[in-house]
Amino acid sequence: MKAYELLFFVDPTSNEETRAGVMKRIEVAITTDGGAVDSVEDWGKRKLAYEIDHLTEGDYTLINFHADPSQIAELDRVLRISDAVKRHMIVARTDKD
């Protein structure tokens, strides 16, 4: 298992049910083949550097997790098809392996 970090943001006006649904989909995608979520940090609302989909703010969440490298493509696919997630980035963490 390798260590990864996922940073994503959703529309700050979305409700808690939408955010919980996104978190559940992410958790299922990570833990399906034996991955584990290490920590979840809610960064809250932050100003965007530039406007994305007519938004100037985003509600950010940072997730540190361990997963098999083959799971990353599936997680990326899940995040791309989710309408609630506006942008995301998955980065390998060599310092946490």
Side-chain angles (χ1 to χ4, degrees):
M1 297 277 180
K2 291 190 176 243
Y4 293 95
E5 180 177 87
L6 165 64
L7 180 65
F8 69 94
F9 78 88
V10 297
D11 185 347
T13 60
S14 61
N15 58 17
E16 286 299 317
E17 187 176 301
T18 303
R19 292 181 192 150
V22 168
M23 285 301 298
K24 183 66 177 169
R25 280 189 227 124
I26 291 170
E27 186 177 320
V28 167
I30 291 171
T31 59
T32 296
D33 292 330
V37 175
D38 298 329
S39 66
V40 176
E41 295 177 35
D42 184 20
W43 285 8
K45 292 180 185 175
R46 304 237 174 171
K47 186 165 176 56
L48 301 176
Y50 54 91
E51 193 173 292
I52 298 174
D53 292 340
H54 306 291
L55 297 174
T56 57
E57 287 186 331
D59 192 356
Y60 283 83
T61 304
L62 176 72
I63 302 174
N64 289 302
F65 63 98
H66 281 78
D68 196 37
S70 62
Q71 291 176 266
I72 300 305
E74 175 62 19
L75 178 59
D76 188 50
R77 186 189 73 77
V78 167
L79 290 166
R80 284 182 190 276
I81 63 174
S82 175
D83 290 335
V85 176
K86 298 300 179 185
R87 293 286 192 274
H88 70 280
M89 184 183 336
I90 303 170
V91 179
R93 298 284 310 263
T94 56
D95 59 332
K96 302 260 184 177
D97 281 341

